[in-house]
Amino acid sequence: MITTKRAKSGKSSINYSGSGSFQKPIARPKFVTDGYAYASHFFTAYNAWNNYSSIPSKLNKTQIFTMDWLNEFKRRKEQGITDEITVDDKGNYVYYGNEDYYDVLIKDNTFVQDHNLSVSGNTEKLDYYISGRAYDYNGMYRFNSDKYKTYNTRAKAGLQVNDWLRIANNIDYNYAKYRDPTTGGEGGISGVILRMKDIHLRRYSILMVRLASRRPILWVILSMEKIEPKVKIGISAIPLLLRPNFLTIPCG
C-alpha cells in the first residue's frame, strides 16, 4: 500500500523550509558581434556557394547589400566612425552597426525560489497532515521569458468516528505553468513566437471507510484532471472483501 506522512501522536507542528538563488549559464557561446566581420563572412560564404560568380542583393530583410556598402562599412570601422545609422540620397536608412544578440536576448542570471510548508496535528480521534510547495523560476530570456511555476499541495486527514468506524481523506493538488518561447524568422532573432504549453491541473481525492475489523472495505476514488481546455471528472469504488497483501492507487 502506498501511504503518505502522518502526524505524530499527541503533537502539532509547523515546518517551513525555503531557498532563493541566482542561476546563470555555465557556458556561453562566442558570437560574432562585429557588424563588418559578420557582413564580410556573409559575402564570402554566399559568393563561394554560388561558384564565386554572384553577389547577394540583401544582407537581411532590412539592409541592401552591395560591394560599395561593404567597402564603406570597412572604411568606417578602420577610421573609428561610430555612427551606426545614416540616410542615403534617396531617403533610405543605411546600417553600419554592431550588436551582441546573445546579450540582448539572454539574461546574465535569473532568480529561482523554492518554498515548502507543512502543518500536522494528532488528537485522540483526529489526525491531519497538510503540506505544500511553491517553486518559481523566472526564466533566462529577456523577452517572453521561459518562466516556470509549480504549486503542489497534499492534505491528509483521518477521523475516528467510533470504535468501529474510521473515515480518512487524502487530497493531492498539482499546478504547473511553463512558458516556452521559440525563435522564428530570419537569423532566429527578427521574430519571437510565444508558444504556451498545456497547463496541467490534477486533483485526486481518496476516501477510505473502515469498519470494526479495521480493514478497509471500500475505496471511493474521486478524480478531476484538467488539461486545457478539457476537464475530466471520474468516480470509482473498489470493494475490498479480502485483505490484500498490497494495494496501489494511481495518483498521476
Side-chain angles (χ1 to χ4, degrees):
M1 180 183 296
I2 296 177
T3 61
T4 56
K5 292 183 178 179
R6 188 172 177 179
K8 295 181 179 180
S9 178
K11 293 184 178 180
S12 297
S13 64
I14 299 177
N15 297 291
Y16 168 79
S17 65
S19 65
S21 62
F22 287 95
Q23 295 183 1
K24 62 183 301 182
I26 297 176
R28 177 171 175 165
K30 293 182 179 180
F31 280 86
V32 176
T33 60
D34 183 282
Y36 171 73
Y38 174 83
S40 178
H41 290 313
F42 175 82
F43 165 70
T44 300
Y46 183 94
N47 188 246
W49 178 260
N50 291 277
N51 297 319
Y52 303 97
S53 60
S54 178
I55 297 175
S57 60
K58 289 185 177 182
L59 182 69
N60 50 42
K61 294 179 179 179
T62 303
Q63 179 57 53
I64 302 297
F65 187 98
T66 65
M67 292 306 299
D68 290 339
W69 172 81
L70 185 63
N71 292 331
E72 174 64 13
F73 204 161
K74 180 181 180 180
R75 183 188 70 83
R76 296 169 70 90
K77 177 183 177 182
E78 292 174 344
Q79 295 183 5
I81 301 175
T82 58
D83 293 337
E84 296 185 348
I85 303 175
T86 63
V87 180
D88 62 16
D89 54 2
K90 296 181 180 180
N92 299 315
Y93 288 102
V94 183
Y95 300 92
Y96 301 99
N98 307 295
E99 191 62 83
D100 185 348
Y101 286 105
Y102 187 93
D103 186 62
V104 171
L105 298 176
I106 308 297
K107 301 177 184 177
D108 294 330
N109 55 65
T110 190
F111 184 67
V112 182
Q113 55 182 324
D114 191 1
H115 303 278
N116 297 272
L117 178 67
S118 66
V119 180
S120 62
N122 194 326
T123 63
E124 183 178 350
K125 291 188 176 182
L126 175 67
D127 61 86
Y128 59 90
Y129 181 87
I130 304 172
S131 65
R133 177 180 183 245
Y135 177 85
D136 185 9
Y137 170 76
N138 207 32
M140 285 300 302
Y141 293 98
R142 296 187 187 275
F143 309 100
N144 293 336
S145 195
D146 52 324
K147 296 181 179 181
Y148 176 65
K149 292 183 179 181
T150 180
Y151 304 100
N152 310 101
T153 303
R154 179 178 290 276
K156 179 181 180 181
L159 175 63
Q160 192 68 44
V161 180
N162 49 43
D163 292 340
W164 55 269
L165 179 62
R166 173 179 171 80
I167 300 177
N169 189 47
N170 195 344
I171 299 175
D172 182 31
Y173 171 78
N174 299 291
Y175 169 85
K177 182 178 181 180
Y178 177 55
R179 219 178 214 183
D180 181 18
T182 57
T183 57
E186 188 174 3
I189 56 175
S190 63
V192 178
I193 301 173
L194 178 62
R195 184 179 71 246
M196 294 293 293
K197 286 187 178 293
D198 289 337
I199 299 175
H200 298 273
L201 299 178
R202 290 189 176 91
R203 290 175 179 171
Y204 296 92
S205 178
I206 301 175
L207 176 65
M208 181 179 66
V209 180
R210 296 183 179 183
L211 292 182
S213 64
R214 297 187 179 276
R215 284 185 288 173
I217 63 167
L218 181 68
W219 289 87
V220 179
I221 304 173
L222 307 175
S223 66
M224 184 185 81
E225 180 175 1
K226 181 179 181 182
I227 303 178
E228 297 287 357
K230 297 180 179 180
V231 177
K232 296 180 180 179
I233 300 177
I235 180 171
S236 59
I238 305 175
L240 304 177
L241 302 179
L242 300 176
R243 184 184 181 91
N245 293 327
F246 63 90
L247 178 66
T248 301
I249 301 297
C251 289

PDB file of all heavy atoms in Angstrom, residues 48-76:
ATOM      1  N   ALA A  48      31.051  32.034 -52.411  1.00  0.00           N
ATOM      2  CA  ALA A  48      31.622  30.698 -52.620  1.00  0.00           C
ATOM      3  C   ALA A  48      30.537  29.679 -52.953  1.00  0.00           C
ATOM      4  O   ALA A  48      30.728  28.786 -53.788  1.00  0.00           O
ATOM      5  CB  ALA A  48      32.399  30.268 -51.383  1.00  0.00           C
ATOM      6  N   TRP A  49      29.385  29.784 -52.291  1.00  0.00           N
ATOM      7  CA  TRP A  49      28.275  28.856 -52.541  1.00  0.00           C
ATOM      8  C   TRP A  49      27.785  28.973 -53.989  1.00  0.00           C
ATOM      9  O   TRP A  49      27.324  28.002 -54.574  1.00  0.00           O
ATOM     10  CB  TRP A  49      27.132  29.144 -51.573  1.00  0.00           C
ATOM     11  CG  TRP A  49      25.929  28.281 -51.773  1.00  0.00           C
ATOM     12  CD1 TRP A  49      24.783  28.607 -52.415  1.00  0.00           C
ATOM     13  CD2 TRP A  49      25.773  26.929 -51.331  1.00  0.00           C
ATOM     14  NE1 TRP A  49      23.890  27.569 -52.401  1.00  0.00           N
ATOM     15  CE2 TRP A  49      24.479  26.509 -51.738  1.00  0.00           C
ATOM     16  CE3 TRP A  49      26.573  26.034 -50.626  1.00  0.00           C
ATOM     17  CZ2 TRP A  49      23.988  25.240 -51.469  1.00  0.00           C
ATOM     18  CZ3 TRP A  49      26.070  24.765 -50.354  1.00  0.00           C
ATOM     19  CH2 TRP A  49      24.807  24.380 -50.775  1.00  0.00           C
ATOM     20  N   ASN A  50      27.910  30.148 -54.574  1.00  0.00           N
ATOM     21  CA  ASN A  50      27.458  30.388 -55.943  1.00  0.00           C
ATOM     22  C   ASN A  50      28.636  30.418 -56.927  1.00  0.00           C
ATOM     23  O   ASN A  50      28.644  31.199 -57.894  1.00  0.00           O
ATOM     24  CB  ASN A  50      26.674  31.702 -56.008  1.00  0.00           C
ATOM     25  CG  ASN A  50      25.346  31.625 -55.294  1.00  0.00           C
ATOM     26  OD1 ASN A  50      24.351  31.156 -55.836  1.00  0.00           O
ATOM     27  ND2 ASN A  50      25.319  32.089 -54.046  1.00  0.00           N
ATOM     28  N   ASN A  51      29.622  29.586 -56.671  1.00  0.00           N
ATOM     29  CA  ASN A  51      30.775  29.421 -57.566  1.00  0.00           C
ATOM     30  C   ASN A  51      31.523  30.733 -57.838  1.00  0.00           C
ATOM     31  O   ASN A  51      32.002  30.983 -58.944  1.00  0.00           O
ATOM     32  CB  ASN A  51      30.332  28.790 -58.897  1.00  0.00           C
ATOM     33  CG  ASN A  51      29.760  27.398 -58.712  1.00  0.00           C
ATOM     34  OD1 ASN A  51      30.297  26.604 -57.931  1.00  0.00           O
ATOM     35  ND2 ASN A  51      28.672  27.114 -59.406  1.00  0.00           N
ATOM     36  N   TYR A  52      31.555  31.591 -56.816  1.00  0.00           N
ATOM     37  CA  TYR A  52      32.303  32.859 -56.895  1.00  0.00           C
ATOM     38  C   TYR A  52      31.851  33.728 -58.071  1.00  0.00           C
ATOM     39  O   TYR A  52      32.643  34.455 -58.671  1.00  0.00           O
ATOM     40  CB  TYR A  52      33.806  32.592 -56.994  1.00  0.00           C
ATOM     41  CG  TYR A  52      34.329  31.760 -55.835  1.00  0.00           C
ATOM     42  CD1 TYR A  52      34.490  30.384 -55.980  1.00  0.00           C
ATOM     43  CD2 TYR A  52      34.631  32.345 -54.624  1.00  0.00           C
ATOM     44  CE1 TYR A  52      34.951  29.619 -54.916  1.00  0.00           C
ATOM     45  CE2 TYR A  52      35.098  31.578 -53.543  1.00  0.00           C
ATOM     46  CZ  TYR A  52      35.251  30.214 -53.703  1.00  0.00           C
ATOM     47  OH  TYR A  52      35.699  29.449 -52.642  1.00  0.00           O
ATOM     48  N   SER A  53      30.567  33.639 -58.349  1.00  0.00           N
ATOM     49  CA  SER A  53      30.062  34.395 -59.504  1.00  0.00           C
ATOM     50  C   SER A  53      28.842  35.235 -59.169  1.00  0.00           C
ATOM     51  O   SER A  53      28.190  35.762 -60.077  1.00  0.00           O
ATOM     52  CB  SER A  53      29.697  33.423 -60.636  1.00  0.00           C
ATOM     53  OG  SER A  53      28.682  32.510 -60.212  1.00  0.00           O
ATOM     54  N   SER A  54      28.498  35.347 -57.889  1.00  0.00           N
ATOM     55  CA  SER A  54      27.275  36.058 -57.528  1.00  0.00           C
ATOM     56  C   SER A  54      27.492  36.877 -56.253  1.00  0.00           C
ATOM     57  O   SER A  54      28.240  36.482 -55.360  1.00  0.00           O
ATOM     58  CB  SER A  54      26.127  35.062 -57.326  1.00  0.00           C
ATOM     59  OG  SER A  54      24.954  35.730 -56.929  1.00  0.00           O
ATOM     60  N   ILE A  55      26.842  38.021 -56.205  1.00  0.00           N
ATOM     61  CA  ILE A  55      26.885  38.898 -55.026  1.00  0.00           C
ATOM     62  C   ILE A  55      25.480  38.966 -54.448  1.00  0.00           C
ATOM     63  O   ILE A  55      24.504  39.141 -55.200  1.00  0.00           O
ATOM     64  CB  ILE A  55      27.366  40.309 -55.425  1.00  0.00           C
ATOM     65  CG1 ILE A  55      28.802  40.254 -55.961  1.00  0.00           C
ATOM     66  CG2 ILE A  55      27.295  41.260 -54.229  1.00  0.00           C
ATOM     67  CD1 ILE A  55      29.296  41.584 -56.479  1.00  0.00           C
ATOM     68  N   PRO A  56      25.328  38.813 -53.135  1.00  0.00           N
ATOM     69  CA  PRO A  56      23.982  38.863 -52.541  1.00  0.00           C
ATOM     70  C   PRO A  56      23.345  40.231 -52.746  1.00  0.00           C
ATOM     71  O   PRO A  56      24.028  41.261 -52.780  1.00  0.00           O
ATOM     72  CB  PRO A  56      24.236  38.574 -51.055  1.00  0.00           C
ATOM     73  CG  PRO A  56      25.668  38.941 -50.837  1.00  0.00           C
ATOM     74  CD  PRO A  56      26.375  38.620 -52.119  1.00  0.00           C
ATOM     75  N   SER A  57      22.044  40.247 -52.899  1.00  0.00           N
ATOM     76  CA  SER A  57      21.323  41.512 -53.079  1.00  0.00           C
ATOM     77  C   SER A  57      20.915  42.131 -51.746  1.00  0.00           C
ATOM     78  O   SER A  57      20.700  43.343 -51.653  1.00  0.00           O
ATOM     79  CB  SER A  57      20.073  41.291 -53.933  1.00  0.00           C
ATOM     80  OG  SER A  57      19.196  40.356 -53.317  1.00  0.00           O
ATOM     81  N   LYS A  58      20.781  41.270 -50.713  1.00  0.00           N
ATOM     82  CA  LYS A  58      20.394  41.754 -49.392  1.00  0.00           C
ATOM     83  C   LYS A  58      21.194  41.028 -48.327  1.00  0.00           C
ATOM     84  O   LYS A  58      21.510  39.847 -48.467  1.00  0.00           O
ATOM     85  CB  LYS A  58      18.903  41.539 -49.148  1.00  0.00           C
ATOM     86  CG  LYS A  58      17.988  42.435 -49.949  1.00  0.00           C
ATOM     87  CD  LYS A  58      16.527  42.218 -49.540  1.00  0.00           C
ATOM     88  CE  LYS A  58      15.608  43.168 -50.289  1.00  0.00           C
ATOM     89  NZ  LYS A  58      14.184  42.996 -49.871  1.00  0.00           N
ATOM     90  N   LEU A  59      21.519  41.746 -47.257  1.00  0.00           N
ATOM     91  CA  LEU A  59      22.120  41.111 -46.084  1.00  0.00           C
ATOM     92  C   LEU A  59      21.040  40.472 -45.226  1.00  0.00           C
ATOM     93  O   LEU A  59      21.226  39.409 -44.650  1.00  0.00           O
ATOM     94  CB  LEU A  59      22.904  42.142 -45.271  1.00  0.00           C
ATOM     95  CG  LEU A  59      23.638  41.617 -44.043  1.00  0.00           C
ATOM     96  CD1 LEU A  59      24.803  40.723 -44.464  1.00  0.00           C
ATOM     97  CD2 LEU A  59      24.150  42.768 -43.176  1.00  0.00           C
ATOM     98  N   ASN A  60      19.902  41.131 -45.156  1.00  0.00           N
ATOM     99  CA  ASN A  60      18.708  40.628 -44.471  1.00  0.00           C
ATOM    100  C   ASN A  60      17.508  41.371 -45.042  1.00  0.00           C
ATOM    101  O   ASN A  60      17.622  42.027 -46.085  1.00  0.00           O
ATOM    102  CB  ASN A  60      18.829  40.796 -42.948  1.00  0.00           C
ATOM    103  CG  ASN A  60      19.241  42.209 -42.565  1.00  0.00           C
ATOM    104  OD1 ASN A  60      18.751  43.185 -43.127  1.00  0.00           O
ATOM    105  ND2 ASN A  60      20.165  42.316 -41.605  1.00  0.00           N
ATOM    106  N   LYS A  61      16.390  41.332 -44.359  1.00  0.00           N
ATOM    107  CA  LYS A  61      15.188  41.970 -44.880  1.00  0.00           C
ATOM    108  C   LYS A  61      15.260  43.496 -44.828  1.00  0.00           C
ATOM    109  O   LYS A  61      14.460  44.178 -45.472  1.00  0.00           O
ATOM    110  CB  LYS A  61      13.965  41.497 -44.097  1.00  0.00           C
ATOM    111  CG  LYS A  61      13.644  40.018 -44.289  1.00  0.00           C
ATOM    112  CD  LYS A  61      12.427  39.611 -43.471  1.00  0.00           C
ATOM    113  CE  LYS A  61      12.102  38.134 -43.677  1.00  0.00           C
ATOM    114  NZ  LYS A  61      10.924  37.705 -42.877  1.00  0.00           N
ATOM    115  N   THR A  62      16.217  44.016 -44.064  1.00  0.00           N
ATOM    116  CA  THR A  62      16.296  45.457 -43.873  1.00  0.00           C
ATOM    117  C   THR A  62      17.405  46.105 -44.692  1.00  0.00           C
ATOM    118  O   THR A  62      17.201  47.156 -45.300  1.00  0.00           O
ATOM    119  CB  THR A  62      16.514  45.777 -42.380  1.00  0.00           C
ATOM    120  OG1 THR A  62      15.462  45.190 -41.618  1.00  0.00           O
ATOM    121  CG2 THR A  62      16.532  47.275 -42.138  1.00  0.00           C
ATOM    122  N   GLN A  63      18.569  45.468 -44.715  1.00  0.00           N
ATOM    123  CA  GLN A  63      19.748  46.083 -45.298  1.00  0.00           C
ATOM    124  C   GLN A  63      20.051  45.539 -46.692  1.00  0.00           C
ATOM    125  O   GLN A  63      20.260  44.345 -46.875  1.00  0.00           O
ATOM    126  CB  GLN A  63      20.967  45.866 -44.397  1.00  0.00           C
ATOM    127  CG  GLN A  63      22.250  46.454 -44.921  1.00  0.00           C
ATOM    128  CD  GLN A  63      22.152  47.957 -45.177  1.00  0.00           C
ATOM    129  OE1 GLN A  63      21.756  48.710 -44.298  1.00  0.00           O
ATOM    130  NE2 GLN A  63      22.489  48.385 -46.390  1.00  0.00           N
ATOM    131  N   ILE A  64      20.099  46.459 -47.682  1.00  0.00           N
ATOM    132  CA  ILE A  64      20.520  46.113 -49.035  1.00  0.00           C
ATOM    133  C   ILE A  64      22.032  45.864 -49.029  1.00  0.00           C
ATOM    134  O   ILE A  64      22.796  46.598 -48.389  1.00  0.00           O
ATOM    135  CB  ILE A  64      20.169  47.238 -50.022  1.00  0.00           C
ATOM    136  CG1 ILE A  64      18.660  47.514 -50.000  1.00  0.00           C
ATOM    137  CG2 ILE A  64      20.626  46.880 -51.433  1.00  0.00           C
ATOM    138  CD1 ILE A  64      17.818  46.340 -50.440  1.00  0.00           C
ATOM    139  N   PHE A  65      22.459  44.831 -49.780  1.00  0.00           N
ATOM    140  CA  PHE A  65      23.886  44.509 -49.833  1.00  0.00           C
ATOM    141  C   PHE A  65      24.457  44.901 -51.194  1.00  0.00           C
ATOM    142  O   PHE A  65      23.952  44.503 -52.241  1.00  0.00           O
ATOM    143  CB  PHE A  65      24.112  43.012 -49.598  1.00  0.00           C
ATOM    144  CG  PHE A  65      25.555  42.631 -49.474  1.00  0.00           C
ATOM    145  CD1 PHE A  65      26.128  42.473 -48.223  1.00  0.00           C
ATOM    146  CD2 PHE A  65      26.355  42.448 -50.605  1.00  0.00           C
ATOM    147  CE1 PHE A  65      27.470  42.131 -48.097  1.00  0.00           C
ATOM    148  CE2 PHE A  65      27.692  42.115 -50.488  1.00  0.00           C
ATOM    149  CZ  PHE A  65      28.253  41.953 -49.232  1.00  0.00           C
ATOM    150  N   THR A  66      25.537  45.685 -51.140  1.00  0.00           N
ATOM    151  CA  THR A  66      26.325  45.998 -52.335  1.00  0.00           C
ATOM    152  C   THR A  66      27.785  46.007 -51.916  1.00  0.00           C
ATOM    153  O   THR A  66      28.113  46.158 -50.723  1.00  0.00           O
ATOM    154  CB  THR A  66      25.949  47.373 -52.925  1.00  0.00           C
ATOM    155  OG1 THR A  66      26.291  48.401 -51.981  1.00  0.00           O
ATOM    156  CG2 THR A  66      24.476  47.450 -53.270  1.00  0.00           C
ATOM    157  N   MET A  67      28.710  45.893 -52.877  1.00  0.00           N
ATOM    158  CA  MET A  67      30.129  45.937 -52.558  1.00  0.00           C
ATOM    159  C   MET A  67      30.531  47.336 -52.081  1.00  0.00           C
ATOM    160  O   MET A  67      31.419  47.491 -51.234  1.00  0.00           O
ATOM    161  CB  MET A  67      30.961  45.523 -53.771  1.00  0.00           C
ATOM    162  CG  MET A  67      30.803  44.050 -54.144  1.00  0.00           C
ATOM    163  SD  MET A  67      31.125  42.906 -52.775  1.00  0.00           S
ATOM    164  CE  MET A  67      32.848  43.303 -52.388  1.00  0.00           C
ATOM    165  N   ASP A  68      29.853  48.374 -52.612  1.00  0.00           N
ATOM    166  CA  ASP A  68      30.135  49.725 -52.138  1.00  0.00           C
ATOM    167  C   ASP A  68      29.771  49.870 -50.660  1.00  0.00           C
ATOM    168  O   ASP A  68      30.493  50.513 -49.895  1.00  0.00           O
ATOM    169  CB  ASP A  68      29.342  50.746 -52.972  1.00  0.00           C
ATOM    170  CG  ASP A  68      29.867  50.849 -54.399  1.00  0.00           C
ATOM    171  OD1 ASP A  68      31.038  50.467 -54.626  1.00  0.00           O
ATOM    172  OD2 ASP A  68      29.105  51.284 -55.284  1.00  0.00           O
ATOM    173  N   TRP A  69      28.625  49.281 -50.301  1.00  0.00           N
ATOM    174  CA  TRP A  69      28.218  49.328 -48.877  1.00  0.00           C
ATOM    175  C   TRP A  69      29.213  48.595 -47.998  1.00  0.00           C
ATOM    176  O   TRP A  69      29.592  49.090 -46.930  1.00  0.00           O
ATOM    177  CB  TRP A  69      26.823  48.716 -48.722  1.00  0.00           C
ATOM    178  CG  TRP A  69      26.410  48.535 -47.285  1.00  0.00           C
ATOM    179  CD1 TRP A  69      25.903  49.497 -46.455  1.00  0.00           C
ATOM    180  CD2 TRP A  69      26.497  47.343 -46.523  1.00  0.00           C
ATOM    181  NE1 TRP A  69      25.663  48.975 -45.210  1.00  0.00           N
ATOM    182  CE2 TRP A  69      26.014  47.636 -45.229  1.00  0.00           C
ATOM    183  CE3 TRP A  69      26.922  46.050 -46.801  1.00  0.00           C
ATOM    184  CZ2 TRP A  69      25.958  46.697 -44.214  1.00  0.00           C
ATOM    185  CZ3 TRP A  69      26.865  45.101 -45.788  1.00  0.00           C
ATOM    186  CH2 TRP A  69      26.385  45.415 -44.511  1.00  0.00           C
ATOM    187  N   LEU A  70      29.687  47.414 -48.437  1.00  0.00           N
ATOM    188  CA  LEU A  70      30.641  46.641 -47.653  1.00  0.00           C
ATOM    189  C   LEU A  70      31.974  47.393 -47.517  1.00  0.00           C
ATOM    190  O   LEU A  70      32.564  47.433 -46.428  1.00  0.00           O
ATOM    191  CB  LEU A  70      30.869  45.274 -48.302  1.00  0.00           C
ATOM    192  CG  LEU A  70      31.768  44.311 -47.519  1.00  0.00           C
ATOM    193  CD1 LEU A  70      31.138  43.971 -46.176  1.00  0.00           C
ATOM    194  CD2 LEU A  70      32.020  43.038 -48.329  1.00  0.00           C
ATOM    195  N   ASN A  71      32.430  47.998 -48.582  1.00  0.00           N
ATOM    196  CA  ASN A  71      33.683  48.756 -48.523  1.00  0.00           C
ATOM    197  C   ASN A  71      33.549  49.986 -47.626  1.00  0.00           C
ATOM    198  O   ASN A  71      34.478  50.356 -46.904  1.00  0.00           O
ATOM    199  CB  ASN A  71      34.114  49.175 -49.928  1.00  0.00           C
ATOM    200  CG  ASN A  71      34.524  47.980 -50.778  1.00  0.00           C
ATOM    201  OD1 ASN A  71      35.005  46.969 -50.259  1.00  0.00           O
ATOM    202  ND2 ASN A  71      34.328  48.086 -52.094  1.00  0.00           N
ATOM    203  N   GLU A  72      32.380  50.628 -47.686  1.00  0.00           N
ATOM    204  CA  GLU A  72      32.135  51.779 -46.813  1.00  0.00           C
ATOM    205  C   GLU A  72      32.092  51.347 -45.351  1.00  0.00           C
ATOM    206  O   GLU A  72      32.588  52.053 -44.463  1.00  0.00           O
ATOM    207  CB  GLU A  72      30.831  52.459 -47.207  1.00  0.00           C
ATOM    208  CG  GLU A  72      30.383  53.585 -46.291  1.00  0.00           C
ATOM    209  CD  GLU A  72      31.349  54.776 -46.271  1.00  0.00           C
ATOM    210  OE1 GLU A  72      32.245  54.847 -47.136  1.00  0.00           O
ATOM    211  OE2 GLU A  72      31.195  55.631 -45.376  1.00  0.00           O
ATOM    212  N   PHE A  73      31.514  50.189 -45.090  1.00  0.00           N
ATOM    213  CA  PHE A  73      31.464  49.635 -43.730  1.00  0.00           C
ATOM    214  C   PHE A  73      32.895  49.417 -43.214  1.00  0.00           C
ATOM    215  O   PHE A  73      33.232  49.754 -42.077  1.00  0.00           O
ATOM    216  CB  PHE A  73      30.687  48.313 -43.736  1.00  0.00           C
ATOM    217  CG  PHE A  73      30.089  47.951 -42.401  1.00  0.00           C
ATOM    218  CD1 PHE A  73      29.046  47.030 -42.331  1.00  0.00           C
ATOM    219  CD2 PHE A  73      30.540  48.502 -41.214  1.00  0.00           C
ATOM    220  CE1 PHE A  73      28.481  46.665 -41.109  1.00  0.00           C
ATOM    221  CE2 PHE A  73      29.981  48.154 -39.994  1.00  0.00           C
ATOM    222  CZ  PHE A  73      28.947  47.234 -39.948  1.00  0.00           C
ATOM    223  N   LYS A  74      33.753  48.878 -44.076  1.00  0.00           N
ATOM    224  CA  LYS A  74      35.149  48.637 -43.699  1.00  0.00           C
ATOM    225  C   LYS A  74      35.865  49.958 -43.405  1.00  0.00           C
ATOM    226  O   LYS A  74      36.614  50.075 -42.425  1.00  0.00           O
ATOM    227  CB  LYS A  74      35.850  47.872 -44.813  1.00  0.00           C
ATOM    228  CG  LYS A  74      37.307  47.565 -44.510  1.00  0.00           C
ATOM    229  CD  LYS A  74      37.950  46.815 -45.668  1.00  0.00           C
ATOM    230  CE  LYS A  74      39.423  46.514 -45.357  1.00  0.00           C
ATOM    231  NZ  LYS A  74      40.073  45.787 -46.484  1.00  0.00           N
ATOM    232  N   ARG A  75      35.636  50.969 -44.264  1.00  0.00           N
ATOM    233  CA  ARG A  75      36.286  52.271 -44.067  1.00  0.00           C
ATOM    234  C   ARG A  75      35.862  52.899 -42.746  1.00  0.00           C
ATOM    235  O   ARG A  75      36.694  53.423 -41.988  1.00  0.00           O
ATOM    236  CB  ARG A  75      35.930  53.205 -45.232  1.00  0.00           C
ATOM    237  CG  ARG A  75      36.615  54.569 -45.160  1.00  0.00           C
ATOM    238  CD  ARG A  75      36.064  55.505 -46.222  1.00  0.00           C
ATOM    239  NE  ARG A  75      34.693  55.896 -45.896  1.00  0.00           N
ATOM    240  CZ  ARG A  75      34.399  56.895 -45.033  1.00  0.00           C
ATOM    241  NH1 ARG A  75      35.365  57.565 -44.410  1.00  0.00           N
ATOM    242  NH2 ARG A  75      33.142  57.217 -44.816  1.00  0.00           N
ATOM    243  N   ARG A  76      34.573  52.844 -42.444  1.00  0.00           N
ATOM    244  CA  ARG A  76      34.060  53.438 -41.210  1.00  0.00           C
ATOM    245  C   ARG A  76      34.639  52.725 -39.986  1.00  0.00           C
ATOM    246  O   ARG A  76      34.947  53.366 -38.975  1.00  0.00           O
ATOM    247  CB  ARG A  76      32.534  53.378 -41.191  1.00  0.00           C
ATOM    248  CG  ARG A  76      31.879  54.202 -42.289  1.00  0.00           C
ATOM    249  CD  ARG A  76      30.398  53.914 -42.400  1.00  0.00           C
ATOM    250  NE  ARG A  76      29.677  54.436 -41.250  1.00  0.00           N
ATOM    251  CZ  ARG A  76      29.164  55.656 -41.184  1.00  0.00           C
ATOM    252  NH1 ARG A  76      29.283  56.493 -42.218  1.00  0.00           N
ATOM    253  NH2 ARG A  76      28.522  56.052 -40.103  1.00  0.00           N
TER     254      ARG A  76
END
